[in-house]
Amino acid sequence: MNFKILAIDDDPPSLELVLSALEQEGVEILGASSPLEGLALFQKEQPEVVLVDLMMPKMNGIEVLQRIIGNEGGRREDSAIVIMLTAFGTVETAVEAMKAGAYDYLTKPIQVSELRLVVDRALEHRRLRAEVRQLRRILDAKYGFETIVGRSKRLLGVLDLAGRAAQSASTVLIRGETGTGK
């Protein structure tokens, strides 16, 4: 699987360090020197991992993070993994970034080995999320309601109710006589 990584940083030496540190086979590295340029590149390329500097002019890293992962009530399952970078690391900014949905938080000056480790973990996390989605699709196709034989009104009503119950985290009790195929 080929991955794309986008780094957004307004400091040219920091951006160059990140881009050169992450060069490896099977990974396409993209760089942007401003938040707006980075968001445009994100929309066009749809990278799996985005590294964002926290302090940038016109738009800070938290705002970029929120636009990337979406702020419609939480992280989308298929959203990019965002790693925050900052030279002004404090516990408060780290907590704010993590609450906003950042995967991890690195302070500058960046240690190349730490950067590679965090990005490798993020890529593996992204790969595993994609694999889980694929396996769920396979299981749903094999064991979904579509495989149940029968088209009576009552059975279709039960399947509809079961489908709605499956979307919630509630415990469901199914009762009936022995041998009825509960």
Side-chain angles (χ1 to χ4, degrees):
M1 179 175 210
N2 286 342
F3 291 107
K4 291 181 185 176
I5 299 173
L6 170 62
I8 306 170
D9 195 332
D10 64 320
D11 180 41
S14 292
L15 180 60
E16 187 57 40
L17 173 70
V18 169
L19 296 177
S20 64
L22 296 176
E23 285 181 357
Q24 57 183 297
E25 193 173 319
V27 177
E28 183 179 347
I29 309 296
L30 310 165
S33 58
S34 75
L36 296 177
E37 178 189 351
L39 288 171
L41 200 52
F42 175 80
Q43 290 298 323
K44 181 181 175 202
E45 299 291 336
Q46 293 296 305
E48 286 78 20
V49 175
V50 181
L51 295 109
V52 182
D53 186 23
L54 184 63
M55 302 301 263
M56 294 184 287
K58 298 185 182 175
M59 185 184 303
N60 69 34
I62 300 291
E63 293 169 314
V64 174
L65 165 71
Q66 290 170 336
R67 288 193 185 185
I68 287 173
I69 66 171
N71 40 349
E72 58 271 339
R75 171 181 286 281
R76 293 188 321 261
E77 188 174 310
D78 63 342
S79 63
I81 293 174
V82 179
I83 300 167
M84 301 301 296
L85 309 172
T86 186
F88 308 100
T90 65
V91 173
E92 291 80 20
T93 56
V95 169
E96 182 184 2
M98 300 307 274
K99 280 184 178 180
Y103 175 78
D104 210 332
Y105 183 92
L106 298 173
T107 56
K108 294 178 182 179
I110 294 171
Q111 302 298 315
V112 172
S113 60
E114 183 182 15
L115 174 65
R116 286 182 180 155
L117 179 67
V118 170
V119 170
D120 286 346
R121 270 194 354 241
L123 290 172
E124 179 66 7
H125 182 80
R126 179 67 188 227
R127 187 192 65 74
L128 289 172
R129 282 190 343 205
E131 186 176 329
V132 166
R133 277 194 311 277
Q134 176 66 19
L135 291 172
R136 283 183 180 155
R137 279 194 293 273
I138 291 169
L139 285 174
D140 286 346
K142 186 173 183 176
Y143 298 109
F145 293 140
E146 301 79 28
T147 61
I148 295 177
V149 178
R151 297 289 172 231
S152 74
K153 246 184 187 175
R154 242 177 136 172
L155 176 61
L156 292 176
V158 168
L159 292 176
D160 180 56
L161 182 62
R164 286 186 280 144
Q167 300 301 317
S168 83
S170 300
T171 303
V172 177
L173 172 65
I174 301 175
R175 300 180 340 169
E177 293 183 32
T178 302
T180 58
K182 298 180 292 291

